[in-house]
């Protein structure tokens, strides 16, 4: 391809040089921070030679070119545009500053809650399981010794993340706000102090005691903040502001004990005296308002929210919904919001599935099918941004399906015992009412599929019959391939695992580009150790800290991408043992990585292994389950 021409086309369709704030790239994507996204013509960019996908994330316009190409397009783009060439971290920071205060606030909420979702999910799953077991025992469907240690301990563990939720939120919020996370955790502990009345007893027992504050100005109830979210976030934000200012003015020799002491004491007093009571009222108003909406007769409110939910995903507002889920769990024991979200998510998957089965466009089909499966798992970005929103009609079909599924969930009073998981696996949060949940997602996906199938996509046309070549001209002969490449029809080749771990579908990466197979077909590995070896005899084409590109002797072009969004680490925690142009044999060490350090930094180490020239093969089959680096067959390629 002509890299300069591709760069010029990108520049033309994003509004020109004056609309570019900065540019960066990773192993596969050109990452642009744009001044005015309204000037970007995404469909035109998708049609540029070499572009494999376009989407927005982290305030950046990300254009997928693939390994071995993106760096050359990037160089040409910088030369043509004169844009500032920045690091990935700088691009991310610039992207984060885009948008109004509300958009930045929503993103901050997402940054706070995403790291603690695993803990919330674990408790939610266990709570659902225990509720189901208790139901079956109490109704005679199951005989079980409820006095056993296994049952007692499981019941004890099931709600622990919700009991101590303010501590988890406080620790995470302090990291996001730039403060000491352990001091943040102390603020969370203050709000749960055992000398305060447990908040969950107020409804039945009333408030036990009040305390004068600000020298008798007024009284506040001495009640804890179990189950609360907004007061914790505000309190930790105040603590971080105090801490950062004290670091600037307190002499270094006193900073170690003066700053923590003053930060915690002042924030603790303000929290119990003002921040907690005020923002608890605000939070209760939000939760009551949502509950009022959901409780509108005949499910009308839920129908509207189920239809609008996908639109809020596009705008990023959905990051605040964790607050609603947690608030409802605290107030009612279940969240009625999560079933609405689940219906909306699987509906987008149903709409994308209809596109995949109906379209004649092979490229669109290869993108829509895995994107729909991803949405059924609760990860909707590939389906929404890669397929449905691109053609709009499937997006509307998904909204209609989501509304219908949410309507049914509201009519039967469906609630989830936890949050953080939607789609197929969301049934684990609805084990107390599994049939109602199955019907909810079935209605949502079924209606969306049917509507999407009927209204189709705007670009869909009957496939044209190609004209036969003139009889007088001999058919062109294929160019000779190097002996090292596959050239015999139906010849197969095997790619062994480059890492030891568990092979899983690409949709489990959660990354829109990998999930939609925009970079090619393949598999992902959840690693058990931090070593990557050559999966075949090959030439190294790309070495970029977290990623390695290979041109295999069997004709496959491979990308091994260690971790998701790990480009932001700028090579930290990775050690490369090869350079571009180097020859390697199966089992040769390519790179080491520190799994613990990467995960501590907040990144997942799940590793996509992608055949970037997938179109050169008739079939690509992959293994599942446990694999061993350099030994287990991972991919089977058929020319």
């Amino acid at each position: 391809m002509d890299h300069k021409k591709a760069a010029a086309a990108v520049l033309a369709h994003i509004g020109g040089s004056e609309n570019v704030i900065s540019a960066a790239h990773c192993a596969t994507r050109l990452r642009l921070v744009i001044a005015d996204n309204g000037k970007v013509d995404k469909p035109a960019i998708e049609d540029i030679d070499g572009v494999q996908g376009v989407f927005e994330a982290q305030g950046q316009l990300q254009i997928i070119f693939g390994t071995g190409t993106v760096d050359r397009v990037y160089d040409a783009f910088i030369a043509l545009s004169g844009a500032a060439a920045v690091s990935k971290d700088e691009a991310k920071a610039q992207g984060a500053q885009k948008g109004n205060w509300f958009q930045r606030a929503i993103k901050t909420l997402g940054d706070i809650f995403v790291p603690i979702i695993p803990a919330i999910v674990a408790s939610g799953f266990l709570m659902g399981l225990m509720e189901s077991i208790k139901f079956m025992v109490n109704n005679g469907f199951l005989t079980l010794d409820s006095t056993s240690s296994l049952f007692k301990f499981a019941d004890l563990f099931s709600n622990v993340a919700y009991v101590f939720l303010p501590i988890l939120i406080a620790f995470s919020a302090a990291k996001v706000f730039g403060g000491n996370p352990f001091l943040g955790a102390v603020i969370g502990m203050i709000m749960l102090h055992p000398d305060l009345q447990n908040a969950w007893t107020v409804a039945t027992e009333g408030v036990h005691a009040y305390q004068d504050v600000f020298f008798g100005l007024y009284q506040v109830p001495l009640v804890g903040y179990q189950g609360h979210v907004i007061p914790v976030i505000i309190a930790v934000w105040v603590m971080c502001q105090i801490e950062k200012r004290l670091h600037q003015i307190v002499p270094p020799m006193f900073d170690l004990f003066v700053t923590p002491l003053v930060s915690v004491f002042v924030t603790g007093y303000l929290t119990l005296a003002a921040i907690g009571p005020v923002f608890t009222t605000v939070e209760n108003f939000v939760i009551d308002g949502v509950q009022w909406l959901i409780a509108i007769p005949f499910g009308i409110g839920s129908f509207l929210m189920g239809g609008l939910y996908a639109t809020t995903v596009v705008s990023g507002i959905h990051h605040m919904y964790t607050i609603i889920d947690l608030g409802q769990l605290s107030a009612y024991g279940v969240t009625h919001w999560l079933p609405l979200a689940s219906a909306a998510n699987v509906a987008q998957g149903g709409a994308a599935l209809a596109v995949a089965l109906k379209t004649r466009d092979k490229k669109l089909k290869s993108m829509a099918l895995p994107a729909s499966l991803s949405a059924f798992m609760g990860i909707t970005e590939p389906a929404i941004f890669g397929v449905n929103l691109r053609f709009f009609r499937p997006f509307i079909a998904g909204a209609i399906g989501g509304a219908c599924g949410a309507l049914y969930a509201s009519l039967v009073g469906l609630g989830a015992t936890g949050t953080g998981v939607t789609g197929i696996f969301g049934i684990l949060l609805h084990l107390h009412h599994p049939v109602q949940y199955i019907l909810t997602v079935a209605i949502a996906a079924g209606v969306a599929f049917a509507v999407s199938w009927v209204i189709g996509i705007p670009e869909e046309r009957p496939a044209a019959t190609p004209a036969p070549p003139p009889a007088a001209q001999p058919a062109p002969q294929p160019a000779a391939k190097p002996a090292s490449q596959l050239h015999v029809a139906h010849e197969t080749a095997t790619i062994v695992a480059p890492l030891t771990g568990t092979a899983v579908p690409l949709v489990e990466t959660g990354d829109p580009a990998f999930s939609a197979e925009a970079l090619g077909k393949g598999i992902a590995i959840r690693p058990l150790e931090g070593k990557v070896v050559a999966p075949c005899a090959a030439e190294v084409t790309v070495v970029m800290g977290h990623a390695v590109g290979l041109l295999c002797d069997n004709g496959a072009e491979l990308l091994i991408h260690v971790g998701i969004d790990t480009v932001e680490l700028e090579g930290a925690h990775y050690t490369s043992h090869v350079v571009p142009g180097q020859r390697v044999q199966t089992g040769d060490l390519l790179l080491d990585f520190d799994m613990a350090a990467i995960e501590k930094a907040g990144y997942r180490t799940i590793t996509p292994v992608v055949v970037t020239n997938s179109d050169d093969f008739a079939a690509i089959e992959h293994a599942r389950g446990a694999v061993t680096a350099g030994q287990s067959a991972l991919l089977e390629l058929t020319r």
Side-chain angles (χ1 to χ4, degrees), residues 305-340:
M305 287 313 306
L308 294 173
Y309 186 89
T311 303
T312 67
V313 172
V314 174
S315 62
I317 297 176
H318 66 298
H319 289 301
M320 69 177 290
Y321 292 156
T322 303
I323 292 178
I324 296 175
D325 281 328
L326 295 175
Q328 290 212 328
L329 284 165
S330 175
Y332 313 115
V334 295
T335 168
H336 299 287
W337 186 263
L338 188 107
L340 275 63

Side-chain angles (χ1 to χ4, degrees), residues 1-28:
M1 64 174 287
D2 187 330
H3 303 98
K4 186 174 181 180
K5 183 178 179 181
V10 169
L11 188 61
H13 294 306
I14 61 173
S17 302
E18 64 276 8
N19 200 35
V20 183
I21 297 175
S22 64
H25 79 93
C26 60
T28 60

Side-chain angles (χ1 to χ4, degrees), residues 9-10 13-14 40-48 51 54 61 63:
V10 169
H13 294 306
I14 61 173
V40 175
D41 188 347
K42 288 184 182 178
I45 295 174
E46 290 172 342
D47 290 335
I48 296 173
V51 172
V54 181
L61 179 69
I63 306 174

